[in-house]
Amino acid sequence: MTVINGNTPDHLEIIGSEVIQRLLADKWKAFAERKLFQRLALLVFHLICICFVVYLRPVETDRLYLIKPIWPDWLRTVFEILTIISCLWFVLGQQLSELRTQSIYDYLRNLMNAPSKIVYLFANLCLLACAVLRILRMPLLEEAVLSFALPGSWIFLLFFARSAKLTGPFVQMIYSMIAGDMFRFSIISSIFLISFSQAFFFLGKDIDAKRGLGINDTNYCEANHKVTNYASALDTFMTLFRICMNGMDYEEFGCTNYEPLAKTLFVLMMFIMPIMMTNILIAMMGTTYTNIISQAEMAWRQQVGTI
């Protein structure tokens, strides 16, 4: 497992050796292939059940709690029960079975090498929590938890995509970009966003006050529509993030007390964030793509070996 879980080019070269390939091929034929397709079938069944649960979920609470049900509600209830059984099987059945065959340390180490499995485990726990919230009659919190569980359930398909030669290297590429490139990018971007958000919080805090003045007031400011919000530090941070995604109204900067300064800082931020930082991210992802695609065969075999 030390060879399979390695991330250096030397580990990939070792995987390419004939002995390691024979061992991986024997493991795949004797054990991994059958279990992989069994779990894939269970996942497909789980996702089908979730589709019925989501698309048949009513808005009325009377139908949700089967007080005044119609026939789709009974069908939804059946699939909800099947979904809970599937979650219990994955959390208690499969995970406890893996713990019995290996130590807790090895289990956690293998789990860290499969991020999609971690997300799927969290999604199943959220679905089980939804069942508890249904009993407690907390529909709003149930829907909030369900919203986190749904994407995580589908992401687990990446775990099975690792076994295909066509998609295996790209799954590893996604993991590497998220854990490496996106992580570094988010840290540096957050530093710039926090620094600019403090400045814009100071410069834009009077915009709403000027909007509320009378039209005859000399300080009155009129804008076609409100896009930005500088009411708090968090709102300012999210506003600047939305501006970086091209969601802005440039005319609103005319409502600030320091219009030239606000527009100068805006131009400076646009040069740093959308232009410079985005191109740095593209360059980092390009480097990751080049490194992985140059050893696509070994990267795929590594993904198969970790199953």
Side-chain angles (χ1 to χ4, degrees):
M1 291 303 296
T2 302
V3 175
I4 297 299
N5 294 329
N7 296 319
T8 64
D10 294 335
H11 284 91
L12 291 179
E13 291 182 4
I14 296 175
I15 293 174
S17 65
E18 184 178 355
V19 175
I20 299 298
Q21 290 190 27
R22 288 284 300 274
L23 289 174
L24 293 178
D26 292 340
K27 172 193 172 185
W28 175 256
K29 293 179 181 179
F31 173 75
E33 184 178 14
R34 175 178 54 84
K35 181 165 287 189
L36 180 72
F37 285 108
Q38 287 177 352
R39 295 188 175 182
L40 178 59
L42 290 174
L43 175 62
V44 172
F45 172 77
H46 181 78
L47 295 177
I48 291 174
C49 292
I50 287 180
C51 289
F52 279 95
V53 169
V54 172
Y55 293 121
L56 294 178
R57 184 181 178 89
V59 178
E60 302 85 354
T61 55
D62 290 341
R63 290 180 53 194
L64 181 64
Y65 295 112
L66 300 179
I67 298 175
K68 297 179 180 179
I70 58 177
W71 72 266
D73 298 326
W74 295 110
L75 181 62
R76 170 182 53 83
T77 302
V78 172
F79 281 102
E80 286 177 344
I81 295 173
L82 293 175
T83 302
I84 296 302
I85 294 175
S86 176
C87 292
L88 290 173
W89 171 251
F90 178 80
V91 175
L92 300 179
Q94 293 187 15
Q95 304 312 305
L96 291 180
S97 176
E98 293 181 8
L99 281 172
R100 284 197 301 267
T101 58
Q102 55 188 333
S103 64
I104 296 178
Y105 173 77
D106 292 334
Y107 170 78
L108 294 177
R109 186 179 64 175
N110 293 333
L111 198 63
M112 293 302 296
N113 292 322
S116 58
K117 188 175 181 179
I118 298 176
V119 175
Y120 184 63
L121 179 60
F122 175 76
N124 278 269
L125 294 176
C126 288
L127 290 173
L128 293 176
C130 288
V132 177
L133 295 173
R134 176 72 61 84
I135 297 174
L136 297 177
R137 299 295 182 94
M138 303 173 68
L140 295 180
L141 185 57
E142 177 188 344
E143 291 178 352
V145 175
L146 183 62
S147 299
F148 283 99
L150 295 178
S153 299
W154 287 91
I155 287 176
F156 193 44
L157 288 172
L158 292 177
F159 179 83
F160 299 94
R162 301 187 306 168
S163 62
K165 190 174 182 179
L166 180 65
T167 56
F170 292 95
V171 173
Q172 183 182 4
M173 194 180 304
I174 293 173
Y175 291 164
S176 300
M177 288 181 178
I178 293 176
D181 302 332
M182 291 297 296
F183 182 71
R184 290 192 294 267
F185 174 79
S186 61
I187 292 176
I188 300 174
S189 298
S190 298
I191 294 174
F192 283 111
L193 279 177
I194 292 173
S195 61
F196 278 106
S197 64
Q198 290 184 345
F200 277 95
F201 173 71
F202 173 75
L203 295 174
K205 61 183 179 180
D206 294 327
I207 291 180
D208 289 337
K210 288 186 176 182
R211 291 176 184 273
L213 297 175
I215 193 171
N216 296 323
D217 196 298
T218 56
N219 293 320
Y220 173 73
C221 180
E222 181 181 3
N224 294 330
H225 56 279
K226 181 179 179 180
V227 177
T228 56
N229 184 8
Y230 304 99
S232 65
L234 180 60
D235 291 334
T236 305
F237 182 88
M238 296 306 299
T239 294
L240 295 187
F241 181 79
R242 188 168 61 248
I243 288 176
C244 292
M245 300 294 107
N246 204 26
M248 62 178 180
D249 184 5
Y250 181 75
E251 287 73 16
E252 285 193 348
F253 291 112
C255 297
T256 62
N257 290 331
Y258 309 94
E259 180 179 352
L261 179 58
K263 292 182 177 180
T264 301
L265 286 176
F266 168 75
V267 173
L268 179 62
M269 185 189 71
M270 295 302 288
F271 270 112
I272 294 177
M273 293 300 300
I275 299 177
M276 185 184 72
M277 293 302 300
T278 302
N279 281 279
I280 290 176
L281 177 62
I282 294 173
M284 290 191 298
M285 288 184 171
T287 302
T288 302
Y289 174 84
T290 302
N291 293 335
I292 294 179
I293 208 66
S294 62
Q295 297 177 318
E297 179 75 19
M298 296 302 102
W300 167 67
R301 294 187 181 278
Q302 183 186 35
Q303 292 296 309
V304 173
T306 56
I307 295 176

